[in-house]
């Protein structure tokens, strides 16, 4: 069963973070990692931190579980 909700990606090297929402949080993290590894992420700050500090400097965590129909509203 997939979990929907709000997630946070934190760079432990500098404390910068990225919030997002997803219908399937585990699939979303996989998607983020896939494009970060390929140096193709849409968020340049996140991509630059990934390139500078490496995957080992990132933590992915569920901030809040919530119903799919409330994702956008809660994320904002």
């Amino acid at each position: 069963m997939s979990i929907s909700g709000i997630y946070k990606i934190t760079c432990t090297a500098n404390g910068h973070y990225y919030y997002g929402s997803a219908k399937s949080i585990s699939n979303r993290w996989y998607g983020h990692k896939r494009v970060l590894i390929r140096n193709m992420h849409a968020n340049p700050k996140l991509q630059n931190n990934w390139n500078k500090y490496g995957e080992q400097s990132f933590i992915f965590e569920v901030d809040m579980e919530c119903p799919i129909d409330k994702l956008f509203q809660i994320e904002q």
Side-chain angles (χ1 to χ4, degrees):
M1 185 171 109
S2 63
I3 297 171
S4 62
I6 310 300
Y7 61 87
K8 181 180 179 184
I9 301 171
T10 305
C11 177
T12 60
N14 61 16
H16 293 173
Y17 56 87
Y18 173 97
Y19 273 100
S21 63
K23 295 177 184 177
S24 172
I25 290 177
S26 60
N27 286 345
R28 189 65 186 116
W29 177 226
Y30 173 77
H32 275 294
K33 285 198 321 185
R34 187 169 31 113
V35 294
L36 286 163
I37 289 167
R38 293 179 180 164
N39 198 31
M40 297 173 57
H41 201 279
N43 184 297
K45 289 182 181 181
L46 181 59
Q47 185 67 63
N48 289 338
N49 283 324
W50 182 274
N51 293 346
K52 184 174 183 177
Y53 299 110
E55 181 177 353
Q56 70 279 359
S57 295
F58 285 82
I59 297 172
F60 182 87
E61 56 197 331
V62 177
D63 191 59
M64 175 190 303
E65 291 183 36
C66 62
I68 293 171
D69 63 334
K70 301 286 185 190
L71 284 175
F72 184 75
Q73 177 185 3
I74 293 172
E75 180 186 8
Q76 296 306 310

